[in-house]
Amino acid sequence: MADSSSKGVTLFSPYKMGRFNLSHRIVLAPLTRCRAHKEIPQPAMVKYYSQRSTPGGLLISEGTSPSDTSVGYPRVPGIYTDEQVEAWKKVVDAVHAKGAIIFCQLWHVGRASHQVYQPGGGSPISSTNNPISNRWKVSMPDGSQETYPQPRRLETHEIPQIVEQYRRAALNAVRAGFDGIEIHAAHGYLIDQFLKDGINDRTDEYGGSLANRCKFLIQIVQAVVEAIGADRVAVRISPDIDLHDATDSDPLGLGLAVIDRLNKLQYNVGSKLAYLHVTQPRIAAEFNGRSAESDQDREAQFMRTLREAYQGTFMASGGFTREIGMEAVASGDADLVSYGRYFISNPDLVLRFKLNAPLNKYIRETFYTDDPVVGYTDYPFLDRESVKEDELSPF
C-alpha cells in the first residue's frame, strides 16, 4: 500500500526494506550481460558488480539459471552446481566489501530458448506446445538470430520438479552469500508463460482460471519462502507487458490476482516478502513500435493501482529517468526504483544522480558481447578532481 508519509522523500532518502537498511532508493536492475563462461561467473563480473555497489545500496544480479533446462541466452550464469556457487561467492564478497546488498534473480526462460541450450538438444519446456512467433528471435551462441522452436508442454507431474529446482537454487544463492533472491515471473519467461492467458492454453490445474494460472508462481514462492525465509524473497511481474508474445486479456486483473495471493501468503507466514518488483508497460514500447509517451496516463494509473493493492515494499522499473524516479518516490507510487541501461554506462550512477551530473551514454552494441572490459567495466567514473570530498560519500 502507498505510504501517506512519503512527503519529502527522494531517491536519496533511506528506506527500511524488512531486515535491510537501505541508504538510498536507487536499485541496480537485473541485467543480462552475457559475460559468464560455461554458466560460471567470471572475474570481470566481480569488478562489474563491485563498481556499481554503494554503502547501503541494493543490487539485483543478472538473470541466473536455476537448472540446466532454464537457459536461453549465451554466456549466462547458473546457480545449480557447486562450481557456480563458488564463483558467485567472489562476486557477492566484493559487493559486501563495499557495504552493499545483493539479491540473485532466478530466471527460467521456458520456451524462450533453443535446443542448442537444452540438455541433450531437447525441446525447451513451457506451459504450452505453441512456439513464440516469428516477431521475436532467439540469440544463438555464435551471435546469430534464429526463430524460436516449438516447445514441449510440461506434464502436470513434472511441475513439482521445476518448483524444487527453484527451491534448491534459492538455497544455493544463500550458500553463495546472496542476501536474498528475486523470482523472475515477468517478460514472457517460464512463469509468465503460465500466468498469461495469451500463452497458457492448459486444461489441467495450472490452466484456465486466474487461480489456476497463478498456481505455479505461488507454489514456487511458497517453496522458496519455506527454504530461506520470506524476507529474503522477492517477486518480479509484468502483467501488462508483451515480450515474447506474453499477452493477457485482462492485465490489471492478472496483476491484482497475483498481488492478492502474495498478500495472503505474507499474512499466512507472518512476514513480508522483501519486495514486489513491477515493470512498467512503457519498457515494451520500443519492442512494439509505440511511443513510450502514448499511454502514459493509463500506465501510471495501472502501476498506481497495483502499488495500492500490494501490502509491502513496491519497486518499479522500466524507462525511469532521474526526474521520473524522484516523482515516483515523492508521490508514494514506488518505494524503490530500479535502473538498467543508465547503470550499465554509469557505474557511479547513484553519485551522478545525487549531483545531477551528466551521464555517460550507453553503447547498445556492447550490451551482450563477451568482452570482459569493453562496454562492461570500462565506462568512466566522474572525475574525482572536480567533485568535493563530501559529495563523493553522500551516504
Side-chain angles (χ1 to χ4, degrees), residues 76-196:
V76 296
I79 196 157
Y80 57 90
T81 71
D82 289 341
E83 189 175 6
Q84 292 163 353
V85 170
E86 290 303 311
W88 270 119
K89 285 180 180 179
K90 298 173 184 177
V91 175
V92 174
D93 287 349
V95 170
H96 286 163
K98 292 283 191 73
I101 297 150
I102 183 166
F103 274 45
C104 179
Q105 189 193 68
L106 301 182
W107 175 45
H108 196 310
V109 303
R111 69 176 185 168
S113 184
H114 189 277
Q115 292 95 330
V116 71
Y117 296 116
Q118 296 299 309
S123 297
I125 59 176
S126 182
S127 64
T128 180
N129 286 324
N130 295 321
I132 296 172
S133 71
N134 292 343
R135 185 160 64 104
W136 309 92
K137 300 297 179 183
V138 59
S139 297
M140 302 296 284
D142 63 1
S144 63
Q145 304 282 306
E146 291 197 10
T147 301
Y148 281 103
Q150 181 175 5
R152 179 180 69 81
R153 185 199 314 268
L154 280 166
E155 299 292 337
T156 306
H157 69 84
E158 294 179 291
I159 293 176
Q161 300 169 25
I162 309 300
V163 175
E164 172 62 14
Q165 289 169 1
Y166 275 91
R167 189 189 73 85
R168 288 201 306 265
L171 289 169
N172 282 343
V174 171
R175 187 156 60 93
F178 281 101
D179 298 290
I181 64 98
E182 179 182 280
I183 296 167
H184 194 351
H187 303 170
Y189 297 116
L190 181 61
I191 299 173
D192 211 21
Q193 291 160 27
F194 277 80
L195 291 173
K196 301 279 181 67

Side-chain angles (χ1 to χ4, degrees), residues 229-287:
D231 58 356
R232 292 184 182 272
V233 178
V235 176
R236 189 178 200 184
I237 60 172
S238 59
D240 198 21
I241 285 185
D242 172 13
L243 290 176
H244 306 110
D245 296 336
T247 60
D248 193 84
S249 60
D250 181 11
L252 182 59
L254 173 60
L256 291 174
V258 170
I259 286 172
D260 178 62
R261 283 157 179 79
L262 294 179
N263 285 340
K264 288 177 179 175
L265 186 151
Q266 292 179 141
Y267 177 80
N268 290 335
V269 302
S271 177
K272 302 283 190 187
L273 298 176
Y275 59 84
L276 175 66
H277 190 179
V278 182
T279 314
Q280 291 202 116
R282 75 174 69 164
I283 197 65
E286 63 183 89
F287 295 102

Side-chain angles (χ1 to χ4, degrees), residues 362-395:
Y362 54 80
I363 303 169
R364 190 180 295 273
E365 291 75 21
T366 61
F367 280 2
Y368 310 115
T369 68
D370 60 358
D371 194 300
V373 177
V374 177
Y376 193 54
T377 59
D378 65 343
Y379 282 105
F381 289 74
L382 276 175
D383 179 7
R384 288 179 172 259
E385 295 297 322
S386 64
V387 182
K388 295 178 183 178
E389 185 63 33
D390 61 341
E391 293 175 331
L392 288 171
S393 302
F395 307 109

Side-chain angles (χ1 to χ4, degrees), residues 31 283 286 318-319 339-346 362 364 367:
L31 297 162
I283 197 65
E286 63 183 89
Y339 289 87
R341 287 169 288 186
Y342 287 158
F343 244 131
I344 287 177
S345 55
N346 298 275
Y362 54 80
R364 190 180 295 273
F367 280 2

Side-chain angles (χ1 to χ4, degrees), residues 180-331:
I181 64 98
E182 179 182 280
I183 296 167
H184 194 351
H187 303 170
Y189 297 116
L190 181 61
I191 299 173
D192 211 21
Q193 291 160 27
F194 277 80
L195 291 173
K196 301 279 181 67
D197 63 10
I199 300 175
N200 187 337
D201 57 359
R202 304 177 71 90
T203 57
D204 64 1
E205 63 193 87
Y206 292 94
S209 69
L210 264 176
N212 284 1
R213 286 185 279 124
C214 290
K215 187 174 183 179
F216 181 46
L217 168 61
I218 299 305
Q219 286 181 336
I220 291 170
V221 177
Q222 184 72 51
V224 172
V225 164
E226 290 175 359
I228 66 173
D231 58 356
R232 292 184 182 272
V233 178
V235 176
R236 189 178 200 184
I237 60 172
S238 59
D240 198 21
I241 285 185
D242 172 13
L243 290 176
H244 306 110
D245 296 336
T247 60
D248 193 84
S249 60
D250 181 11
L252 182 59
L254 173 60
L256 291 174
V258 170
I259 286 172
D260 178 62
R261 283 157 179 79
L262 294 179
N263 285 340
K264 288 177 179 175
L265 186 151
Q266 292 179 141
Y267 177 80
N268 290 335
V269 302
S271 177
K272 302 283 190 187
L273 298 176
Y275 59 84
L276 175 66
H277 190 179
V278 182
T279 314
Q280 291 202 116
R282 75 174 69 164
I283 197 65
E286 63 183 89
F287 295 102
N288 295 306
R290 301 196 322 267
S291 165
E293 309 296 325
S294 61
D295 300 320
Q296 203 169 65
D297 291 343
R298 184 192 70 83
E299 292 173 2
Q301 186 56 50
F302 180 89
M303 293 290 286
R304 193 168 293 125
T305 302
L306 298 185
R307 196 276 191 271
E308 291 286 347
Y310 182 61
Q311 297 168 6
T313 296
F314 190 89
M315 183 188 300
S317 65
F320 279 89
T321 61
R322 179 187 187 275
E323 291 70 26
I324 297 173
M326 291 286 274
E327 291 170 5
V329 297
S331 66

